[in-house]
Amino acid sequence: MGKTKYMMSSGLAFEEAKDMQKLRKKSLQGWHLKRWKFMGYGLEQGEPKDIIYSIDYRSLGSGEESEYFELFALSGWEHVCSDNGIHIFKAQPGTSPIYSDRESSIDKVTRLGKPVFSVMPVCLAITVILGLLAQFTSGSMQKFLIGVFVFSLAITIPAIMTSVAVFYQKWKARKLA
């Protein structure tokens, strides 16, 4: 078994293209993507190769995987790894991009944003309610609510930032001609 290492993700909603370029550079150095890991990528050492990577966001039902991966294979894309509806593929340079038109790019970003857009309003509402409750209580209850508020804020701020990034990516995709 080859050596392995971890590469941190820049955040797929923020810097997906940058991440895919970093993975290509690593492949040129002999470090190839093997698995998606928490907030990053698991790489394994091998022979240097020029490999391009692309990503797709799609929740698959049972029995849909083989047909889905076969569709990509017919276009020259080999499945590398998947996790929670995130699927990463690799191909030789010059392979047609997975997303080559405006509509498919918008659809991809829309699928990326679905989980974030459903969680963010709930997180925001909970954080606001906790903040208000902390203002109108005192003593140990107030200290407890402030602690929970800070924890909630630590989840809500990245959710808002990700929502904004997804909205921006969608706006950018719509601007493409």
Side-chain angles (χ1 to χ4, degrees), residues 21-50:
Q21 270 304 113
K22 282 174 32 181
L23 288 170
R24 183 177 188 181
K25 286 179 183 177
K26 290 294 183 183
S27 285
L28 287 167
Q29 298 168 3
W31 290 97
H32 307 289
L33 176 65
K34 289 298 173 195
R35 69 195 60 79
W36 169 260
K37 288 189 159 191
F38 179 71
M39 294 177 56
Y41 310 95
L43 308 175
E44 190 170 273
Q45 192 171 33
E47 293 295 318
K49 294 179 189 173
D50 192 4

Side-chain angles (χ1 to χ4, degrees), residues 13-14 113 116-118 120-121 157-168:
F14 301 97
V116 176
F117 290 139
S118 62
M120 189 274 297
I157 289 174
I160 291 170
M161 290 172 59
T162 303
S163 296
V164 169
V166 168
F167 180 77
Y168 173 71

Side-chain angles (χ1 to χ4, degrees), residues 79-158:
H79 176 251
V80 178
C81 58
S82 297
D83 188 46
N84 291 323
I86 299 172
H87 309 282
I88 304 176
F89 297 88
K90 68 179 180 179
Q92 296 300 313
T95 304
S96 295
I98 292 175
Y99 295 97
S100 56
D101 63 24
R102 182 176 161 188
E103 288 77 28
S104 64
S105 295
I106 293 168
D107 184 49
K108 171 187 164 187
V109 175
T110 300
R111 285 193 313 273
L112 168 65
K114 265 186 186 175
V116 176
F117 290 139
S118 62
V119 169
M120 189 274 297
V122 174
C123 289
L124 185 59
I126 290 171
T127 302
V128 168
I129 290 168
L130 287 169
L132 290 172
L133 287 173
Q135 292 296 314
F136 296 111
T137 58
S138 61
S140 60
M141 179 56 99
Q142 184 179 40
K143 288 179 183 178
F144 171 75
L145 287 172
I146 289 172
V148 177
F149 169 78
V150 169
F151 177 77
S152 179
L153 199 59
I155 294 169
T156 302
I157 289 174

